[in-house]
Amino acid sequence: MELWPWLTAALLVLFVQLSPTVNFYAKVALYCALCFSASTLAVAVCLLRHGGRTVENMSIISWFVRSFKYAYGLRFEMKGRQKLEVNHPCVIISNHQSILDMMGLMEALPKRCVQIAKRELLFLGPVGLIMYLGGVFFINRQRSSTAMTVMAKVGERMVQENLKVWIYPEGTRNDNGDLLPFKKGAFYLAIQAQVPIIPVVYSSFSSFYDTRMRRFTSGTVQVEVLDAIPTRGLTVADVPKLMDTCHQAMRTTFLHMSKIPQENGATAGPGTLPAQ
């Protein structure tokens, strides 16, 4: 019996276990493979179940993505989930840290909720196709006029179809231990549609996922849904204040949940507003 294949496999497993860097890249590669394979299966299920593009497909997509956490030993502990289960349109905003955010999003995803994503994702094979089938709105961020047109249509549709829209207001992934300044799109959308904003905050992933340290282990993510912030009666002139209110509330919660020290050495806690 040929022993070399088995010996090679055993050495490879041992090497992965001993090398954090190899372990990191192996887990990232597995995550990408899971995304593509699950998307392919989900496409078939969505087409068989609903026949095409509809927000109802998001429950199917959510089921597939939520299963990923078992492969990585991740847990999501959520506080305030009931605040998302409202029967009216709203804009949901959350912090954006890494490629793992999709798992966190699907853990919290309420009914009739779609996302706004960059247009480039539409061309990622089965991943782009399943996002399209789930009703995701794609925006070309390189063309502001086109993006504004899409956002205007999103505002109309979310009211007409009773949709919740999930947006990452930082605009890009950020794992620096703080929140980036917010972009205005989500707040213009909420005011245009006169719907409330519901902030959702995820604690820092850095204890188990860190691209700079090549760390990818098991861990627990704290998730907190904050109180809805109304926009009824607000106008475009109120966007800066609304944006600042949301940013401060989310940043305070993020630093407290993640136990990240402030500049003065104290840890942010309830009622403590970190310096901007």
Side-chain angles (χ1 to χ4, degrees):
M1 181 178 178
E2 184 61 65
L3 296 179
W4 281 111
W6 296 101
L7 181 59
T8 301
L11 289 174
L12 180 59
V13 170
L14 180 63
F15 185 48
V16 168
Q17 290 179 336
L18 294 178
S19 170
T21 299
V22 173
N23 182 276
F24 174 83
Y25 285 113
K27 287 188 173 182
V28 170
L30 174 61
Y31 183 80
C32 294
L34 284 173
C35 286
F36 277 87
S37 58
S39 294
T40 302
L41 290 172
V43 164
V45 175
C46 288
L47 289 175
L48 288 171
R49 184 74 180 273
H50 298 119
R53 177 177 168 87
T54 170
V55 66
E56 302 302 331
N57 283 328
M58 287 308 304
S59 61
I60 297 172
I61 299 169
S62 175
W63 184 87
F64 277 97
V65 176
R66 281 185 286 115
S67 66
F68 292 4
K69 63 177 179 284
Y70 300 112
Y72 292 98
L74 297 181
R75 295 179 59 209
F76 293 87
E77 296 181 352
M78 193 165 175
K79 178 181 178 182
R81 181 189 295 273
Q82 72 281 0
K83 297 176 184 177
L84 294 174
E85 300 299 340
V86 293
N87 190 30
H88 56 72
C90 61
V91 172
I92 302 170
I93 57 175
S94 66
N95 52 317
H96 194 14
Q97 300 182 69
S98 75
I99 58 174
L100 305 184
D101 286 336
M102 183 55 65
M103 282 196 283
L105 184 153
M106 292 303 171
E107 284 289 325
L109 193 78
K111 295 178 180 178
R112 301 198 61 74
C113 181
V114 296
Q115 298 81 53
I116 288 183
K118 58 185 180 182
R119 186 170 176 269
E120 292 85 344
L121 295 177
L122 180 59
F123 306 103
L124 283 181
V127 174
L129 179 55
I130 195 59
M131 292 176 72
Y132 172 81
L133 290 175
V136 171
F137 295 106
F138 295 96
I139 288 184
N140 186 345
R141 297 190 299 187
Q142 306 305 316
R143 296 183 178 181
S144 58
S145 59
T146 303
M148 290 176 65
T149 300
V150 172
M151 292 294 274
K153 292 181 179 178
V154 171
E156 294 174 2
R157 288 190 56 185
M158 68 186 300
V159 173
Q160 294 170 357
E161 302 176 28
N162 192 25
L163 297 176
K164 303 175 182 71
V165 177
W166 193 298
I167 302 177
Y168 295 112
E170 291 172 283
T172 188
R173 296 174 194 159
N174 165 43
D175 61 354
N176 69 1
D178 204 340
L179 267 64
L180 293 175
F182 287 170
K183 297 184 181 300
K184 297 179 179 179
F187 308 95
Y188 275 116
L189 175 62
I191 288 177
Q192 170 196 327
Q194 292 288 281
V195 299
I197 294 176
I198 303 179
V200 179
V201 185
Y202 294 83
S203 62
S204 174
F205 295 171
S206 60
S207 64
F208 63 88
Y209 181 84
D210 190 319
T211 56
R212 290 179 292 272
M213 299 295 293
R214 303 295 186 267
R215 179 193 300 126
F216 197 167
T217 62
S218 58
T220 299
V221 181
Q222 303 293 331
V223 188
E224 184 167 349
V225 183
L226 306 186
D227 291 337
I229 299 173
T231 66
R232 181 71 63 183
L234 299 185
T235 67
V236 171
D238 297 302
V239 165
K241 182 178 180 181
L242 177 64
M243 189 163 54
D244 186 57
T245 297
C246 292
H247 189 278
Q248 290 190 29
M250 290 178 66
R251 185 171 185 257
T252 300
T253 303
F254 173 76
L255 294 176
H256 173 62
M257 291 195 326
S258 305
K259 296 181 173 58
I260 296 175
Q262 300 177 71
E263 292 180 3
N264 62 5
T267 300
T272 303
L273 184 61
Q276 294 290 331

